[in-house]
Amino acid sequence: MMAVLGFVAVLALVTGLIHLYLWKRLVRDTTTPGRWRRIGGIAALVLALLVPVTMAGTQAGLYWIAWPGYLWLALMFYLLVVLVVLEVPMLVARLVLRRRVVAAEPTTAAPEPVLVGAAGPTEPPAAGAVAAPDHDPSRRLLLARGAAIFAGLTATGTVGYGVRTALGPPHLDRVRIPLAKLPRSMDGLRIATVSDIHLGPLRGRAHTERIVAAINRLDADIVAVVGDLVDGSVAELGSAAAPLRDLRSRYGSFFVTGNHEYYSGVEEWVQEVDRLGLRVLQNRRQEIQARGGVLDLAGVNDLDATGGTGLAAGPDFAAALGDRDPSRPVVLLAHQPLAAKEAARYGVDLQLSGHTHGGQMMPFNLAVGLEQPVVSGLGEVDGTKVYVTNGAGFWGPPVRVGAEPQISLVELRSA
């Protein structure tokens, strides 16, 4: 809980600064002093408070605030992005206007008489004269309003598209991955992979039912749920997760914890997921015998789980991957792609991960890439192949731009 409160505090500071910038560009620069500027200032303050209140409120079970709060968070983000991009052309436009005004000033006026005093020649000020503005205020106001309208329309359109994408059905990504150690008899073994379902304030039982139905249509050999199933307790979301019991596969369905399970009561969720028929690979591995061959399927707890014990323990790669037959291929389920840096030390052939949401809201994917070695799709880390699925849900804003929701069918091929 302290970690959540600290996150909310940092978020409040950051969003406060962002709203100050938005107020300047959308309110102060586009209005003259008076009633409308005051109304705009009050609105900016209320919206700035809405973001941390939403984060804290949803943690306290006040789910009714999630829709307005998270939608504004997305709109705020894209307003910021568009306005920052417009800063350079706006600066150029202001400089051009300033030069035009200076060029239009009269230059043929007769010279004024010069007064000579103790301090040297001085120009006598004209009676009632005021300094000329560096450019036409009305044009500056028009320019600011044009930029604000463009930013508003662009951000609103982007968020609308993102909501439609996020709430739509997950798309299927089929990927074939060759593994050098995979026996020829196991060629074509298929693993249905899904992550980041994020049951919570905005997604419930119908979301789970749709995902389960989509996975079952794949007729996969193995089902892997690689973390961030929930954003809430078993008491709140147990019924929403219940359709997971209907998952079908030939050799079993498996689960590893994500970071959000540790915010939601990981001990209860591990027991609940196990009760629903998914085997939880908590720092352990399972021997998969299929088609006359053998494959090791391993799983580790999420990297963010540190300092816990028992069901809340952190990742233990040695327990999951040590003392195994190195001639067998091994597939590791780990929520964060970053785990591959440690997994590579144990000769993992393939790691299946989620966590990144594919960036969820472009261009946020650029920031995700600074932390995670693979953001979406197939990559490689120190010789270990890493496949990252975009996730079937979303976290925070119900918006996906440039990273559609996804269920992945990973087909293993013998090299």
Side-chain angles (χ1 to χ4, degrees):
M1 180 59 71
M2 291 301 296
V4 173
L5 291 177
F7 173 74
V8 171
V10 173
L11 182 67
L13 175 62
V14 173
T15 55
L17 294 174
I18 292 174
H19 280 79
L20 181 62
Y21 171 76
L22 295 181
W23 170 81
K24 182 180 185 304
R25 287 290 178 255
L26 300 178
V27 179
R28 196 190 73 173
D29 290 356
T30 62
T31 61
T32 55
R35 178 185 177 187
W36 289 111
R37 182 174 289 186
R38 290 193 297 271
I39 292 174
I42 294 172
L45 178 61
V46 171
L47 291 171
L49 293 174
L50 178 61
V51 175
V53 167
T54 298
M55 300 297 294
T58 52
Q59 287 291 322
L62 302 177
Y63 289 172
W64 59 268
I65 201 174
W67 276 104
Y70 283 129
L71 282 175
W72 169 246
L73 182 62
L75 190 60
M76 176 201 77
F77 174 73
Y78 280 110
L79 282 171
L80 175 66
V81 169
V82 176
L83 287 170
V84 168
V85 170
L86 287 177
E87 285 292 342
V88 172
M90 285 285 289
L91 176 61
V92 172
R94 285 194 292 267
L95 290 174
V96 169
L97 287 177
R98 183 174 301 173
R99 287 186 177 183
R100 286 181 177 178
V101 170
V102 170
E105 290 178 352
T107 59
T108 59
E112 295 289 340
V114 177
L115 301 180
V116 179
T122 61
E123 295 287 342
V130 295
D134 58 355
H135 60 278
D136 189 342
S138 64
R139 290 187 178 182
R140 181 177 181 179
L141 188 62
L142 182 63
L143 184 65
R145 287 175 177 175
I149 292 172
F150 177 81
L153 292 176
T154 303
T156 301
T158 303
V159 170
Y161 163 80
V163 170
R164 181 179 178 181
T165 302
L167 298 182
H171 292 250
L172 176 63
D173 183 41
R174 296 177 181 266
V175 58
R176 293 182 174 183
I177 303 177
L179 300 182
K181 297 178 184 177
L182 188 72
R184 291 195 176 276
S185 62
M186 299 183 75
D187 184 76
L189 188 79
R190 300 185 304 162
I191 305 175
T193 306
V194 65
S195 75
D196 302 281
I197 295 174
H198 282 293
L199 299 174
L202 302 180
R203 303 311 298 262
R205 187 184 182 97
H207 180 50
T208 313
E209 290 174 343
R210 182 164 64 179
I211 291 170
V212 169
I215 291 175
N216 287 344
R217 286 194 295 269
L218 299 176
D219 192 28
D221 297 300
I222 298 169
V223 173
V225 182
V226 286
D228 278 9
L229 172 64
V230 292
D231 285 302
S233 67
V234 172
E236 295 167 329
L237 299 171
S239 62
L244 291 175
R245 67 164 59 94
D246 298 325
L247 283 170
R248 296 194 303 268
S249 61
R250 288 183 179 82
Y251 306 112
S253 299
F254 300 88
F255 176 82
V256 291
T257 56
N259 53 309
H260 281 247
E261 271 71 61
Y262 293 87
Y263 312 147
S264 305
V266 66
E267 295 91 346
E268 288 186 342
W269 273 115
V270 167
Q271 296 172 6
E272 179 67 10
V273 169
D274 182 72
R275 188 182 69 82
L276 294 174
L278 282 76
R279 181 160 187 182
V280 184
L281 296 177
Q282 285 205 297
N283 300 324
R284 60 190 304 178
R285 66 180 179 271
Q286 171 73 43
E287 183 181 279
I288 304 294
Q289 297 185 8
R291 307 175 185 178
V294 181
L295 174 144
D296 284 333
L297 184 69
V300 291
N301 293 349
D302 186 67
L303 297 178
D304 284 358
T306 57
T309 58
L311 298 180
D316 188 338
F317 290 86
L321 299 166
D323 191 27
R324 67 177 190 84
D325 185 349
S327 66
R328 292 180 185 174
V330 57
V331 176
L332 175 67
L333 308 184
H335 179 61
Q336 298 190 41
L338 189 60
K341 292 185 179 296
E342 183 68 17
R345 297 177 54 208
Y346 291 87
V348 168
D349 299 285
L350 171 65
Q351 177 177 306
L352 301 178
S353 298
H355 184 64
T356 67
H357 298 199
Q360 185 165 325
M361 294 167 57
M362 186 183 292
F364 190 68
N365 56 309
L366 301 177
V368 176
L370 298 176
E371 179 191 17
Q372 299 292 335
V374 182
V375 176
S376 181
L378 183 61
E380 187 170 310
V381 177
D382 298 335
T384 290
K385 294 179 180 179
V386 181
Y387 176 79
V388 180
T389 185
N390 285 352
F394 52 80
W395 181 79
V399 176
R400 276 184 171 269
V401 178
E404 60 192 13
Q406 193 175 79
I407 291 172
S408 300
L409 185 63
V410 177
E411 184 176 327
L412 305 183
R413 305 307 302 260
S414 58

